[in-house]
Amino acid sequence: MAALPHRATDFIAELRESLRSDRLALEHDYLQHGKAARLLSAHSQLIDRYLCNVWQQLAMPGNISFVAVGGYGRGELYPKSDIDLLILLDAEPDTGLQKKLHDLIGMLWDIGLEVSHSIRTVAQCLTESADITVQTNLLEARLLIGNAELFRELHDAVRQHLDLRKFYFTKQHEQQQRHKRFLDSDFNLEPNLKESPGGLRDLQTITWICRAAGIVTRWTELAAAGLITPAEARQIAQHDTLLQTLRIRLHYLAKRREDRLIFEFQTPLAEQMGIEASANRRASEHLMQHYYQTKRAVRQFNTILLQNLHDHLFREKPQLRALNERFMVVGTLLDVRDESLFEKTPAAIFELFLLMEQHPELTDLSAKTLHALWRAQHHINAAFRRDPLNRANFMEILRQPQGVLHALRRMNQYGILGAYIPAFGRIVGQMQHDLFHVYTVDEHILMVVRNLRRFAAPEFAHEYPLCSQLISEFARPEVLYIAGLFHDIAKGRGGDHSQLGKKDAQLFCKQHQLSHDDTELIVWLVEHHLTLSATAQKQDLSDLDVIASFVGKIKNDRYLVALYLLTVADVRGTSPKVWNAWKAKLIEDLFRATRRYLRDGRVADQLGEIRREATATLNLYAMPPDSYQLLWAQLDDSYFLDHEAQEIAWHTRLLAFKANTDTAIVKTRLSRAGEGLQVMVYCPDQRALFARICDFFARMNYTIVEAKIHTTRHGYALNSFQIMEAMRSNTVYRDLMTYIEFELAQQITQAKPIAPAATGRVSRQLKHFPISTEVEIKPDHKGRYALTLIAGDRPGLLARIALIMDQHDIRLHRAKINTLGSRAEDVFWISGAILADSDETKSFLDELREKI
């Protein structure tokens, strides 16, 4: 825009300050009354006045129109949203008009209006409306100022060119694609208020179709038209208001257009809305549970209204087929013959889900059926839960060969599952701020059931062959599904959720007349569902006493198989980022070791068995025993007991003729776990060697998941590491392996002072939900100490721990590094003179806490 005269500059400054002041007044007023619809309308009207003022001040031509479109067009302008505008022309602009339009847009930005504009003729609008987004925006067009006749021409032209059927199905497809786009984060802990399934967009899709059809758009008006009931209209309005309220407050808190409920704002939002923390849950967790329950209801109303609108607008007569005296098939939808069926015969509720499982050609429930289900929820009461027929039908749902997961998901979506199992109802929409569960508790539980069902599906057998084989041989797999339903059902109550949950599971089994054996197994699984993963990831599996202790908890092979299957399904169901090939290997190793122990008992000569197996492998490489006896003579029993036979054979092949080398030897290979690398380091022992190696991998953005540290009898370090990428990428392992072997060997040989890598930024999650550092040390039966550390994970953490150990002359023997999202749970087996002195040990632990 050309330089403005002094008076124009003053005018812009005055408008900018006036706009800022008026917006602040709106915000202050809103925080007092808290009425979302009033704020959205008032903000739209305020912006109307400023836009018209600028239009008039610039004396814009009378033959063009200034039009509000999109959300602003329908009078719902959020505090930090863009202002969508259309400048409607009657012809292509000449040079003079182009300059005026340029000045207009420039001034709007100068006074502080964040406009998103287009400049088009009516013909151009019609051409562009081939894009469904543009067409939708034009349907919501509202004249601000200018040529009313031209605006009416646009309005009439848009209507004439609108193909209602095409618009309906395109909007429906657009919604389906959006839902797919947000599928991975559908129930994550930072949902998008606008775009996520069950968000504001799902409600707007309904009103857009109604607007296109020229029918009413208010919820009460839709009820009057018979598309929903008055009670449903009131509920939709309440859910709509909550979503609007959250989005308005989020914009004000963030001071920008932010539609994600990110951790940073969840607690302040809860405080603003008067939500308080309870004994066992944060205020933000209560807020988010309200949100997730609203989200679920919006999805259901969206489904009902889309079906009803389709029937209302197109009057199609789908093929009808009787299923039984209570149900029929309408096209591919299951329909009730009588909309009052569930109120007259509540037992038909579970029959409905059984029919959906038994007839895979059915794709969904009809709107009439959903209406009936919604109204019948209150019939799922104590009497319903006591009815033997309902209990038997629920068990039949779990025993069906197909459709179990879909049935449970639908039951949860429609509020049936939580009504039938009240303990489940309490965890619907409940968040887990442990930084590695990315789903709400109810969705995590259903993910676990999904994983168990996936093991049984032949088309997924290649993913987890062992799990698929085990579950195919497992009698009565519904036992696993019930254990999955109850394993986390007591989250958020305070106390040990495993102990509380087993009581719920026991009551369920008794009420549903499960056999004594199956009841015992389910209750045991709920109580011990964390035991296998905790043992595998935090204890030394080379120690037969650890295996023996674990075996002591296992009644028989069926118990072991059930626990293994539930554990894999559970860990996989926490987050896509938590499960990896190394965790899979640890859990499988413990499963196989336990199975051998149950079958054969304790192996008397474990050391001899490992040596014999390693020797047999080396024979395959034509290495006679006398070629490596000198090397083996330098390795004590602990080395052989700590390593698998195949690892010992690999080390031996590499070092048999280099046992007294002066330089560092670093060798790598692809991990036997199927992901990441195994790295061997052999060199004359040196101070802070482990810290140096940790620092090297931290700078490469690699995570050490296991370390085995051994010193030979002649003073050499023989260390073995399992490493994985912190962030998965398409790594060319050959180049990476060459780099590690050369660079790490150089750094060890040069032995320069260690300057630890920068600690890195704390993740947003960790910043707003910090993890208190916990450090515990206990002696073990081998004369070592097990140091357990829980802390917020960040780059360079392991290197800092290693340096502190070195400064206190503490020797590391083995480490298991377990990262769960932003949470580090590490175990180190250590020894050192200071650990015998309680004061020095306390000083060491205090330093760890302080520096971590």
Side-chain angles (χ1 to χ4, degrees):
M1 189 163 64
L4 292 167
H6 181 70
R7 192 171 61 181
T9 305
D10 289 345
F11 171 72
I12 289 173
E14 288 172 10
L15 274 189
R16 184 169 57 242
E17 178 57 30
S18 174
L19 175 63
R20 188 188 68 82
S21 176
D22 285 346
R23 278 178 156 174
L24 283 174
L26 268 184
E27 179 179 357
H28 180 267
D29 185 48
Y30 171 72
L31 294 176
Q32 297 298 312
H33 64 69
K35 296 177 180 176
R38 179 169 150 187
L39 179 279
L40 296 175
S41 177
H43 190 212
S44 296
Q45 291 170 23
L46 176 70
I47 300 306
D48 288 355
R49 293 198 300 273
Y50 278 89
L51 288 171
C52 292
N53 190 348
V54 172
W55 183 274
Q56 291 167 338
Q57 286 293 327
L58 291 178
M60 298 302 292
N63 62 322
I64 64 177
S65 307
F66 207 14
V67 181
V69 293
Y72 176 43
R74 66 176 175 268
E76 292 182 359
L77 185 60
Y78 286 84
K80 303 298 177 181
S81 290
D82 287 347
I83 301 162
D84 294 329
L85 297 171
L86 167 65
I87 300 172
L88 188 61
L89 309 180
D90 60 352
E92 289 293 333
D94 57 22
T95 304
L97 180 55
Q98 285 179 354
K99 181 182 182 306
K100 273 189 167 292
L101 294 173
H102 184 269
D103 290 347
L104 171 68
I105 301 303
M107 185 174 287
L108 294 179
W109 278 97
D110 287 343
I111 68 171
L113 292 175
E114 304 82 7
V115 298
S116 174
H117 73 283
S118 58
I119 303 172
R120 297 184 181 124
T121 63
V122 172
Q124 289 169 338
C125 286
L126 294 179
T127 301
E128 292 296 324
S129 67
D131 181 326
I132 190 68
T133 303
V134 175
Q135 188 175 37
T136 306
N137 276 344
L138 291 175
L139 279 174
E140 298 180 308
R142 175 171 59 88
L143 180 65
L144 295 170
I145 193 172
N147 189 339
E149 187 63 34
L150 182 62
F151 175 74
R152 278 195 297 273
E153 182 186 339
L154 172 68
H155 177 271
D156 293 343
V158 169
R159 286 285 170 189
Q160 290 170 6
H161 283 76
L162 178 71
D163 181 334
L164 182 57
R165 174 179 287 275
K166 181 180 178 183
F167 184 85
Y168 174 92
F169 286 107
T170 305
K171 294 310 288 187
Q172 187 179 50
H173 177 72
E174 180 185 66
Q175 176 174 289
Q176 291 166 353
Q177 294 302 112
R178 174 169 50 79
H179 285 188
K180 285 181 182 177
R181 208 164 59 245
F182 283 84
L183 185 63
D184 289 339
S185 56
D186 184 8
F187 283 92
N188 76 8
L189 307 185
E190 296 182 300
N192 189 303
L193 289 169
K194 184 179 176 183
E195 303 289 350
S196 286
L200 285 162
R201 272 283 184 259
D202 282 7
L203 294 175
Q204 289 162 3
T205 296
I206 300 299
T207 58
W208 286 331
I209 293 171
C210 290
R211 194 180 296 273
I215 58 179
V216 293
T217 59
R218 296 182 184 276
W219 305 122
T220 51
E221 294 170 335
L222 288 174
L227 291 166
I228 48 176
T229 66
E232 289 168 341
R234 287 192 295 274
Q235 290 176 36
I236 297 176
Q238 289 170 2
H239 295 309
D240 195 4
T241 298
L242 176 61
L243 292 173
Q244 290 176 341
T245 298
L246 289 172
R247 192 178 179 210
I248 290 168
R249 291 182 181 274
L250 190 56
H251 279 202
Y252 281 137
L253 280 169
K255 301 186 186 306
R256 64 178 185 272
R257 187 180 66 180
E258 176 60 81
D259 293 329
R260 295 168 304 147
L261 274 171
I262 58 178
F263 291 134
E264 179 180 350
F265 301 119
Q266 289 176 12
T267 298
L269 267 174
E271 291 173 355
Q272 277 195 11
M273 298 175 71
I275 299 172
E276 297 180 353
S278 59
N280 303 309
R281 294 170 62 193
R282 297 178 174 93
S284 60
E285 292 174 329
H286 287 292
L287 167 72
M288 295 305 293
Q289 187 163 26
H290 289 316
Y291 162 75
Y292 282 115
Q293 289 167 348
T294 280
K295 181 175 183 174
R296 187 183 65 174
V298 167
R299 291 192 69 178
Q300 182 165 353
F301 284 128
N302 173 270
T303 303
I304 291 172
L305 278 165
L306 279 178
Q307 285 190 31
N308 280 345
L309 281 168
H310 178 275
D311 295 344
H312 177 78
L313 297 175
F314 307 125
R315 308 289 181 183
E316 293 177 347
K317 294 183 179 180
Q319 185 177 358
L320 305 180
R321 176 168 60 89
L323 208 53
N324 60 29
E325 64 273 19
R326 289 170 296 281
F327 295 94
M328 62 190 301
V329 178
V330 179
T332 61
L333 305 178
L334 182 62
D335 194 25
V336 288
R337 289 174 175 266
D338 178 0
E339 202 164 337
S340 61
L341 169 66
F342 302 133
E343 295 169 75
K344 296 175 182 175
T345 313
I349 293 173
F350 282 168
E351 182 187 3
L352 173 148
F353 294 103
L354 265 173
L355 289 172
M356 289 295 293
E357 289 178 304
Q358 293 165 354
H359 294 271
E361 72 276 12
L362 297 173
T363 58
D364 212 334
L365 306 177
S366 70
K368 186 168 73 172
T369 307
L370 290 174
H371 272 297
L373 266 182
W374 188 262
R375 289 200 303 272
Q377 286 183 62
H378 67 279
H379 287 288
I380 304 178
N381 50 25
F384 182 97
R385 291 188 284 269
R386 286 195 301 268
D387 190 323
L389 176 60
N390 294 331
R391 291 175 175 179
N393 281 340
F394 186 77
M395 289 306 303
E396 276 304 303
I397 290 171
L398 297 179
R399 290 177 176 134
Q400 291 302 301
Q402 58 188 6
V404 173
L405 176 65
H406 290 306
L408 291 175
R409 283 200 187 281
R410 283 192 176 99
M411 293 172 78
N412 187 39
Q413 173 69 26
Y414 305 140
I416 305 300
L417 189 57
Y420 185 66
I421 306 175
F424 190 92
R426 288 194 288 273
I427 51 88
V428 170
Q430 182 177 314
M431 296 181 71
Q432 303 182 79
H433 276 148
D434 52 19
L435 303 184
F436 58 92
H437 283 87
V438 299
Y439 305 104
T440 55
V441 181
D442 60 312
E443 184 61 15
H444 163 66
I445 284 173
L446 294 179
M447 287 291 286
V448 172
V449 176
R450 184 208 75 157
N451 291 338
L452 290 167
R453 293 290 295 174
R454 198 176 177 96
F455 296 154
E459 62 267 32
F460 299 116
H462 63 283
E463 291 184 344
Y464 297 95
L466 177 58
C467 291
S468 296
Q469 177 195 335
L470 293 172
I471 205 165
S472 69
E473 300 165 353
F474 193 88
R476 303 183 302 285
E478 67 271 13
V479 165
L480 299 174
Y481 311 148
I482 295 169
L485 281 174
F486 281 89
H487 81 286
D488 274 355
I489 206 165
K491 282 280 185 78
R493 292 190 208 169
D496 185 338
H497 75 278
S498 300
Q499 293 298 323
L500 295 171
K502 82 171 188 177
K503 295 178 182 177
D504 293 335
Q506 193 160 31
L507 178 61
F508 175 91
C509 293
K510 180 181 178 182
Q511 291 172 341
H512 291 77
Q513 298 184 337
L514 271 76
S515 69
H516 175 74
D517 288 347
D518 285 351
T519 297
E520 273 199 342
L521 175 54
I522 290 167
V523 171
W524 181 85
L525 284 171
V526 173
E527 180 181 8
H528 292 280
H529 71 273
L530 297 173
T531 303
L532 194 153
S533 61
T535 303
Q537 296 179 78
K538 297 181 181 180
Q539 297 198 44
D540 183 356
L541 300 187
S542 68
D543 185 343
L544 273 183
D545 288 334
V546 169
I547 305 299
S549 175
F550 179 73
V551 169
K553 300 180 177 71
I554 309 295
K555 186 175 181 179
N556 54 40
D557 189 65
R558 179 171 170 81
Y559 274 58
L560 175 62
V561 169
L563 183 59
Y564 173 70
L565 291 169
L566 180 61
T567 300
V568 176
D570 187 18
V571 179
R572 285 190 68 206
T574 56
S575 162
K577 296 179 181 178
V578 167
W579 181 260
N580 57 42
W582 180 245
K583 284 187 175 70
K585 182 180 184 300
L586 290 176
I587 292 170
E588 184 176 331
D589 285 350
L590 178 55
F591 168 76
R592 292 188 182 280
T594 306
R595 219 175 193 191
R596 281 196 302 271
Y597 200 113
L598 286 170
R599 184 187 66 225
D600 303 332
R602 190 180 184 111
V603 179
D605 184 20
Q606 184 188 13
L607 179 62
E609 184 177 302
I610 291 171
R611 282 175 171 267
R612 285 191 292 274
E613 191 177 336
T615 298
T617 301
L618 290 166
N619 286 340
L620 298 176
Y621 291 90
M623 289 187 70
D626 59 0
S627 66
Y628 50 84
Q629 286 309 312
L630 288 177
L631 172 65
W632 280 23
Q634 303 301 330
L635 305 174
D636 58 26
D637 291 350
S638 65
Y639 168 83
F640 289 96
L641 292 172
D642 279 353
H643 292 78
E644 296 178 19
Q646 52 85 13
E647 287 181 281
I648 295 168
W650 181 50
H651 293 170
T652 302
R653 285 166 44 222
L654 295 170
L655 301 175
F657 305 107
K658 301 178 182 178
N660 297 305
T661 180
D662 293 330
T663 58
I665 297 174
V666 177
K667 293 294 180 183
T668 62
R669 66 176 182 176
L670 295 176
S671 173
R672 302 278 289 220
E675 186 178 348
L677 297 174
Q678 188 172 9
V679 181
M680 184 207 73
V681 176
Y682 182 77
C683 65
D685 203 8
Q686 62 177 247
R687 188 74 184 259
L689 176 62
F690 180 62
R692 190 180 307 282
I693 294 169
C694 290
D695 181 62
F696 174 81
F697 287 124
R699 291 175 187 276
M700 288 183 63
N701 201 29
Y702 263 72
T703 298
I704 296 173
V705 294
E706 184 177 62
K708 298 175 185 177
I709 311 299
H710 184 74
T711 304
T712 68
R713 292 190 172 101
H714 67 318
Y716 276 73
L718 176 48
N719 301 341
S720 182
F721 301 90
Q722 292 281 346
I723 66 170
M724 299 182 71
E725 286 181 279
M727 298 294 290
R728 296 175 188 176
S729 63
N730 297 322
T731 302
V732 180
Y733 277 115
R734 183 181 59 187
D735 297 342
L736 178 67
M737 292 161 72
T738 302
Y739 174 83
I740 291 172
E741 290 176 356
F742 178 79
E743 289 294 333
L744 182 54
Q746 287 285 98
Q747 291 194 22
I748 292 170
T749 301
Q750 293 169 2
K752 293 180 180 178
I754 302 171
T759 57
R761 295 176 62 184
V762 176
S763 69
R764 287 187 304 102
Q765 293 91 332
L766 200 55
K767 180 179 178 182
H768 296 288
F769 302 103
I771 296 171
S772 299
T773 299
E774 300 175 27
V775 183
E776 183 182 30
I777 191 165
K778 291 181 180 178
D780 70 6
H781 65 281
K782 292 184 177 180
R784 306 178 306 190
Y785 292 83
L787 172 68
T788 303
L789 182 143
I790 298 175
D793 191 35
R794 64 191 70 182
L797 175 66
L798 193 57
R800 291 202 302 283
I801 295 170
L803 281 172
I804 295 170
M805 288 183 182
D806 183 69
Q807 290 161 7
H808 288 270
D809 291 320
I810 288 174
R811 180 182 173 193
L812 176 69
H813 299 273
R814 189 172 189 147
K816 278 194 171 180
I817 314 302
N818 187 25
T819 304
L820 302 168
S822 296
R823 178 186 178 97
E825 295 186 2
D826 303 339
V827 184
F828 306 89
W829 287 268
I830 57 178
S831 61
I834 73 160
L835 299 176
D837 185 305
S838 59
D839 290 336
E840 290 196 52
T841 300
K842 182 177 182 300
S843 173
F844 162 62
L845 296 180
D846 288 344
E847 185 176 349
L848 269 180
R849 292 189 190 96
E850 179 186 343
K851 293 189 175 179
I852 293 172

